[in-house]
mmCIF file of all heavy atoms in Angstrom:
data_model
loop_
_atom_site.group_PDB
_atom_site.id
_atom_site.type_symbol
_atom_site.label_atom_id
_atom_site.label_comp_id
_atom_site.label_asym_id
_atom_site.label_seq_id
_atom_site.Cartn_x
_atom_site.Cartn_y
_atom_site.Cartn_z
ATOM 1 N N CYS A 310 14.851 -9.026 -9.589
ATOM 2 C CA CYS A 310 15.797 -7.909 -9.472
ATOM 3 C C CYS A 310 17.111 -8.315 -8.803
ATOM 4 O O CYS A 310 17.130 -9.123 -7.879
ATOM 5 C CB CYS A 310 15.133 -6.790 -8.666
ATOM 6 S SG CYS A 310 16.128 -5.291 -8.569
ATOM 7 N N CYS A 312 19.238 -5.898 -7.578
ATOM 8 C CA CYS A 312 19.757 -4.736 -6.831
ATOM 9 C C CYS A 312 20.086 -5.135 -5.398
ATOM 10 O O CYS A 312 19.722 -6.216 -4.930
ATOM 11 C CB CYS A 312 18.728 -3.610 -6.851
ATOM 12 S SG CYS A 312 17.494 -3.670 -5.537
ATOM 13 N N ALA A 314 18.892 -4.144 -2.607
ATOM 14 C CA ALA A 314 17.718 -4.374 -1.727
ATOM 15 C C ALA A 314 17.121 -5.757 -1.967
ATOM 16 O O ALA A 314 16.725 -6.454 -1.038
ATOM 17 C CB ALA A 314 16.672 -3.295 -1.989
ATOM 18 N N CYS A 315 17.067 -6.183 -3.249
ATOM 19 C CA CYS A 315 16.386 -7.443 -3.611
ATOM 20 C C CYS A 315 17.300 -8.662 -3.598
ATOM 21 O O CYS A 315 16.829 -9.792 -3.473
ATOM 22 C CB CYS A 315 15.782 -7.313 -5.010
ATOM 23 S SG CYS A 315 14.562 -6.015 -5.142
ATOM 24 N N HIS A 354 16.362 0.473 -5.101
ATOM 25 C CA HIS A 354 15.619 -0.471 -5.957
ATOM 26 C C HIS A 354 14.935 0.242 -7.123
ATOM 27 O O HIS A 354 15.065 -0.168 -8.287
ATOM 28 C CB HIS A 354 14.567 -1.255 -5.168
ATOM 29 C CG HIS A 354 13.645 -1.960 -6.102
ATOM 30 N ND1 HIS A 354 14.008 -3.116 -6.775
ATOM 31 C CD2 HIS A 354 12.416 -1.624 -6.575
ATOM 32 C CE1 HIS A 354 13.035 -3.479 -7.598
ATOM 33 N NE2 HIS A 354 12.063 -2.581 -7.497
HETATM 34 ZN ZN1 LIG B 402 15.552 -4.463 -6.494
#
Side-chain angles (χ1 to χ4, degrees):
C310 185
C312 87
C315 299
H354 167 76

